[in-house]
C-alpha cells in the first residue's frame, strides 16, 4: 500500500503547507551540509510547476521551545533561494497575524519559509491549538519530512488531521526504498550494523533477523556481542546488561541459519584521541585497552561478505571513524558497499557523513535522509507522520 502522493493533488492556486526536514548541520549560523535542502527540491519544484502557493516549515536543532537567534530559518531560506534561483520569503514567526497576512498574499509559485517550528513549545507537544494555527495558513498539507516522521508533533501529525494530507516525493522515495528492503529484497540480503551502542539497535536487529541472510556487526555495539561470546574486551565501551540479549540474538540467528559476522580482530588504544592504534586478535585485547575499530582481517572478511550480497542495508560506522587512526574499518565497509552490485541502502547520520566524506554517496542506491526514522521503520514500527497520511496513489 502506498501513501497518497502529492502528484495526485490539484494544487493550482492552493496554499500548500509543506513540512520539510531542513534540520541541517550548521556552524555559527552557516550551513555545513545542504543535502536535506536539495532532497526537498523535487517536491518544491513540482508544487511550483503546479502553481501552488507554497509554505515551507521545518524544525532546526534543539531550541527547547524558545527563540534561539542562531537557529533561525533565514539562512536556510537564503540558501534555498540560491538553489532555486527564485525568490523565497522568510518569516520571523511561525504563526500569528503577520504570518497569516504574508501567507494570504502569496502569489502562485511563490515560497514562504516559516520560522523554526521548535521555537514554539506547542510543536513537540503536538498541541491541538498550534496544529490548528498551522493548518489555518493553508488549504492542503504535504509531508516531505521523512526524517521527522517518527515523531508525533503538531507539524508532522496534528496538522494532517485538519487538512487534506499528501506524501511528498522524498517521503515516497524513502518509503519505497525502505519498504522494498523489508518486503521484496533480493537475496542474499546482508545488514551491516555499527555505531556506538547496541541498545539503540537491538530492536532493528531483532526485526532484521526475520529478513536477512547475514548480519555484519561492528563499532562499539560489537563489543557487547564479544562479551556475549565470552571474550575479554578490556576497558572498551560496552553494555554488559545487554550481553544476555545479544547472546539470545546470536542463538536465534544460529537456529535460523543466519550468518552473524563479528570482529575477529580489532584496533585498540588507550583512548580515542590516541595517535595510533594496535591491531590485535579479539582473544588478546589488553585489559587496559579499548576497542576503537575493526582490524585488518575483519575488514577483509566483511568486504568479501558484502561483495556477495544482492541487497545491503548499512547503519552505523565500524569504529570511531571521526579520528583517522580508527577510520579504516568504516572506510573499508563504505568502499565495499559502494562497489557491491544490487541494491544498497544506507541510513544513519554518521554513516551517511562517512560516505559523503569519502565521496561515495552517489554510488549508493538510496541514501536515507532520516537517521532515527529509517531505523524505526526498519525496526517494523509504525511512524506517526506516515500513518496519518491516507493510503492512495
Ligand atoms: P549513525 O548516526 O550512523 O546511526 P551512531 O550514531 O549509532 O551511527 O554511531 C556513531 C558513533 O559511534 C560515532 O560517533 C562513532 O565514533 C561511535 N563509535 C563507533 N565505534 C565505536 C567504538 N568502538 N567505541 C566507541 N564509539 C564508537
Ligand atoms: Mg549518529
Amino acid at each position: 500500500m502506498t501513501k497518497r502522493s502529492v502528484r495526485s493533488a490539484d494544487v493550482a492556486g492552493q496554499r500548500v503547507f509543506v513540512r520539510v526536514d531542513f534540520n541541517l548541520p550548521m556552524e555559527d549560523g552557516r550551513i555545513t551540509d545542504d543535502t536535506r535542502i536539495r532532497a526537498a527540491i523535487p517536491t518544491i519544484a513540482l508544487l511550483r510547476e503546479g502553481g501552488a502557493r507554497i509554505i515551507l516549515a521545518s524544525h532546526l536543532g534543539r531550541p527547547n521551545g524558545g527563540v534561539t537567534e542562531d537557529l533561525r530559518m533565514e539562512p536556510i531560506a537564503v540558501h534555498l533561494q540560491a538553489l532555486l534561483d527564485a525568490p523565497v520569503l522568510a518569516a520571523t514567526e511561525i504563526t500569528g497575524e503577520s504570518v497569516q497576512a504574508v501567507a494570504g498574499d502569496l502569489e502562485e509559485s511563490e515560497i514562504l519559509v516559516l520560522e523554526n517550528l521548535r521555537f514554539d513549545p506547542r510543536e513537540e507537544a503536538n498541541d491541538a491549538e498550534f496544529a490548528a494555527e498551522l493548518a489555518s495558513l493553508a488549504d492542503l498539507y504535504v509531508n516531505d519530512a521523512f526524517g521527522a516522521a517518527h515523531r508525533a508533533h503538531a507539524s508532522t501529525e496534528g496538522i494532517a488531521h485538519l487538512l487534506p494530507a499528501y506524501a511528498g516525493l522524498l517521503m515516497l522515495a524513502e518509503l519505497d526504498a525502505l519498504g522494498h528492503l523489508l518486503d521484496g529484497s533480493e537475496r542474499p540480503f546482508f545488514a551491516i550494523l555499527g555505531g556506538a551502542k547496541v541498545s539503540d539497535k537491538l530492536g532493528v536487529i531483532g526485526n532484521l533477523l526475520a529478513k536477512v541472510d547475514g548480519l555484519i556487526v561492528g563499532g562499539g555495539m560489537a563489543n557487547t556481542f564479544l562479551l556475549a561470546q565470552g571474550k575479554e574486551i578490556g576497558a572498551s565501551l560496552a553494555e554488559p546488561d545487554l550481553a544476555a540479549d545479544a547472546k539470545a540474538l546470536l542463538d536465534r540467528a544460529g537456529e535460523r541459519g543466519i550468518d552473524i559476522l563479528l570482529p575477529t580482530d580489532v584496533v585498540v588504544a588507550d583512548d580515542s584521541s590516541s595517535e595510533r592504534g594496535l591491531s590485535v586478535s579479539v582473544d588478546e585485547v589488553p585489559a587496559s585497552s579499548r576497542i576503537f575499530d575493526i582490524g585488518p582481517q575483519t575488514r577483509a572478511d566483511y568486504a568479501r561478505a558484502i561483495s556477495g550480497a544482492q541487497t545491503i542495508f548499512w547503519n552505523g560506522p565500524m569504529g570511531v571513524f571521526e579520528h583517522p587512526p580508527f577510520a579504516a574499518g568504516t572506510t573499508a565497509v563504505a568502499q565495499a558497499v559502494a562497489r557491491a552490485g544490487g541494491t544498497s541502502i544506507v541510513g544513519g547520520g554518521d554513516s551517511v557523513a562517512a560516505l559523503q566524506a569519502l565521496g561515495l554517496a552517489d554510488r549508493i542506491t538510496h541514501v536515507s535522509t532520516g537517521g532515527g526514522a529509517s531505523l524505526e521503520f526498519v525496526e517494523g514500527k509504525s511512524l506517526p507522520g506516515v500513518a496519518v497520511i491516507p493510503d492512495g496513489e
Side-chain angles (χ1 to χ4, degrees), residues 11-33:
V11 301
Q14 302 286 300
R15 288 173 309 160
V16 182
F17 184 105
V18 190
R19 176 52 158 104
V20 286
D21 181 3
F22 286 171
N23 182 30
L24 311 180
M26 312 266 295
E27 260 165 40
D28 307 325
R30 290 171 50 97
I31 299 164
T32 55
D33 176 5

Side-chain angles (χ1 to χ4, degrees), residues 142-209:
V142 173
N143 191 346
D144 212 21
F146 178 73
H150 57 317
R151 307 275 182 241
H153 294 166
S155 70
T156 60
E157 207 272 344
I159 186 176
H161 295 286
L162 306 174
L163 293 174
Y166 298 83
L169 301 179
L170 172 63
M171 173 72 87
L172 290 166
E174 293 274 8
L175 295 175
D176 186 54
L178 294 166
H180 186 73
L181 184 79
L182 297 184
D183 297 331
S185 53
E186 269 189 78
R187 323 229 112 191
F189 174 7
F190 270 74
I192 309 160
L193 293 172
K197 294 194 305 194
V198 77
S199 50
D200 292 341
K201 297 177 186 175
L202 270 181
V204 182
I205 299 174
N207 196 39
L208 283 174
L209 279 187

Side-chain angles (χ1 to χ4, degrees), residues 319-360:
V320 181
F321 72 102
E322 300 92 334
H323 190 45
F326 311 116
T330 302
T331 300
V333 162
Q335 286 169 339
V337 173
R339 263 199 309 269
T343 305
S344 52
I345 299 185
V346 181
D350 292 291
S351 325
V352 172
L355 266 179
Q356 261 154 357
L358 292 163
L360 296 173

Side-chain angles (χ1 to χ4, degrees), residues 136-305:
S136 73
L137 298 171
D139 307 301
L140 303 176
Y141 171 74
V142 173
N143 191 346
D144 212 21
F146 178 73
H150 57 317
R151 307 275 182 241
H153 294 166
S155 70
T156 60
E157 207 272 344
I159 186 176
H161 295 286
L162 306 174
L163 293 174
Y166 298 83
L169 301 179
L170 172 63
M171 173 72 87
L172 290 166
E174 293 274 8
L175 295 175
D176 186 54
L178 294 166
H180 186 73
L181 184 79
L182 297 184
D183 297 331
S185 53
E186 269 189 78
R187 323 229 112 191
F189 174 7
F190 270 74
I192 309 160
L193 293 172
K197 294 194 305 194
V198 77
S199 50
D200 292 341
K201 297 177 186 175
L202 270 181
V204 182
I205 299 174
N207 196 39
L208 283 174
L209 279 187
K211 320 268 180 190
V212 298
D213 301 294
L215 194 62
I216 294 174
V217 183
M221 65 180 274
N223 299 343
T224 302
F225 282 91
L226 294 174
L227 271 185
Q229 285 184 319
K231 309 283 184 201
E232 309 273 350
I233 58 165
S236 304
L237 171 80
E239 293 165 283
D241 296 356
L242 294 176
D245 291 310
K247 178 81 174 64
L249 285 173
L250 291 176
D251 292 343
R252 252 178 75 201
E255 285 158 22
R256 288 172 175 267
I258 296 165
D259 282 339
I260 294 203
L261 279 72
L262 293 172
T264 53
D265 62 349
V266 287
V267 178
V268 300
D270 288 344
D271 68 89
S272 61
S273 60
S274 297
E275 288 299 315
R276 53 187 298 266
L278 180 71
S279 297
V280 297
S281 153
V282 289
D283 295 312
E284 291 163 5
V285 176
S288 61
S289 290
R290 298 165 195 237
I291 301 171
F292 290 122
D293 197 6
I294 56 174
Q297 182 62 50
T298 304
R299 276 177 238 151
D301 291 343
Y302 285 9
R304 193 170 332 104

Side-chain angles (χ1 to χ4, degrees), residues 47-91:
L47 291 171
R48 289 186 71 215
E49 283 159 26
R53 299 144 76 196
I54 304 163
I55 300 155
L56 303 178
S58 177
H59 74 280
L60 173 62
R62 297 174 190 271
N64 292 323
V67 174
T68 305
E69 284 307 323
D70 55 7
L71 293 176
R72 287 198 180 274
M73 295 302 290
E74 207 220 336
I76 293 178
V78 169
H79 191 73
L80 177 64
Q81 171 160 304
L83 289 177
L84 291 173
D85 197 18
V88 174
L89 307 173

